[in-house]
Amino acid sequence: MLLDEDPATLIHHTIGNFNIHPDKIAIGRINESLSTLQQARDLRIREAESTLKKLSRNLATLSTHHAETLSSHNSADHASHIVELDTQKFRIAKAASDLEIESERLEQDLEGLKGRLQELDMQGVEGDDGTKARREIDDPTILKLKIYRTLGIDVEADSAGNYNKAVIRNNQKGDVHVVNIDPKFSRYFYANYFWQTMEG
């Protein structure tokens, strides 16, 4: 005999030396994981099918609405609405053009008044030679005060007769500015300041 013991006995002892219990536990865990993954996969498939059904219903609803909109569209009413909008557009454009022309005219008037006021400031209280010759008839100080008043500027004198305060009114904005006139600043400075304040 090649073996001293019976082969069946040797096989039995060999099988007894194998420890397969941890392998059985590992296989069981793998089966549980596979079962959990299968359940999760089935759940995701059901959710995807539910979402697909909702999207299909929404598509059908939108398709029906689109078809109804196309069937109810009236080309004549649409053309009439376009014509009305074009008419309004041309009216607005004309009104804007008229306002622009009026604005340019007012700017020219304002520049003319600025030049006149600056000229009067440069001439001083006594005015030019022609004004000096007529000052007994028309006092230039009174004339300047009138011009200032027409522009919304009231000049106030103190007890000594010195004009040291100006009240500037902006009727468009409803603003009132009080300016104390300091002799150390030039008349040209105050003229520019007055215009800037009125233009606001």
Side-chain angles (χ1 to χ4, degrees):
M1 294 181 61
L2 296 175
L3 298 174
D4 294 336
E5 297 185 15
D6 182 49
T9 303
L10 289 174
I11 292 172
H12 179 72
H13 286 307
T14 301
I15 293 173
N17 289 331
F18 283 111
N19 184 11
I20 62 174
H21 182 68
D23 295 334
K24 289 182 178 179
I25 294 175
I27 292 172
R29 290 176 180 172
I30 292 172
N31 288 332
E32 289 179 0
S33 298
L34 289 174
S35 177
T36 302
L37 289 174
Q38 183 64 36
Q39 292 176 1
R41 180 176 177 274
D42 293 340
L43 178 61
R44 292 186 63 182
I45 291 174
R46 288 194 297 271
E47 290 177 351
E49 290 175 347
S50 176
T51 302
L52 180 60
K53 290 179 181 179
K54 290 180 181 179
L55 291 174
S56 298
R57 288 195 296 269
N58 290 338
L59 177 61
T61 302
L62 291 173
S63 298
T64 302
H65 179 70
H66 178 66
E68 292 176 351
T69 301
L70 291 177
S71 63
S72 63
H73 178 69
N74 191 327
S75 58
D77 291 342
H78 179 70
S80 176
H81 184 61
I82 293 298
V83 171
E84 182 180 354
L85 290 177
D86 286 339
T87 302
Q88 292 180 0
K89 180 181 69 175
F90 288 129
R91 288 177 180 173
I92 293 173
K94 184 178 183 304
S97 177
D98 293 342
L99 288 175
E100 184 177 358
I101 293 174
E102 179 66 14
S103 175
E104 291 177 356
R105 186 188 66 80
L106 292 175
E107 287 181 359
Q108 291 176 357
D109 292 344
L110 181 60
E111 290 299 325
L113 290 173
K114 283 183 179 181
R116 177 58 179 160
L117 181 60
Q118 185 176 352
E119 180 183 351
L120 291 174
D121 283 330
M122 293 176 65
Q123 291 173 4
V125 176
E126 295 182 356
D128 57 10
D129 294 338
T131 303
K132 291 178 181 179
R134 298 189 303 271
R135 62 185 171 185
E136 293 182 357
I137 300 174
D138 191 1
D139 190 340
T141 302
I142 297 176
L143 177 60
K144 289 176 66 175
L145 292 175
K146 288 181 179 179
I147 293 175
Y148 278 120
R149 192 172 293 111
T150 58
L151 297 175
I153 304 174
D154 290 329
V155 183
E156 300 178 0
D158 58 11
S159 58
N162 297 318
Y163 295 97
N164 58 5
K165 182 183 292 185
V167 180
I168 305 172
R169 294 178 174 84
N170 189 328
N171 294 328
Q172 293 181 349
K173 294 186 176 181
D175 294 337
V176 176
H177 297 273
V178 178
V179 180
N180 292 319
I181 300 174
D182 192 332
K184 69 180 181 180
F185 295 104
S186 67
R187 295 175 180 176
Y188 182 74
F189 167 82
Y190 280 110
N192 285 336
Y193 180 81
F194 290 167
W195 282 117
Q196 292 173 2
T197 303
M198 287 187 295
E199 291 176 348

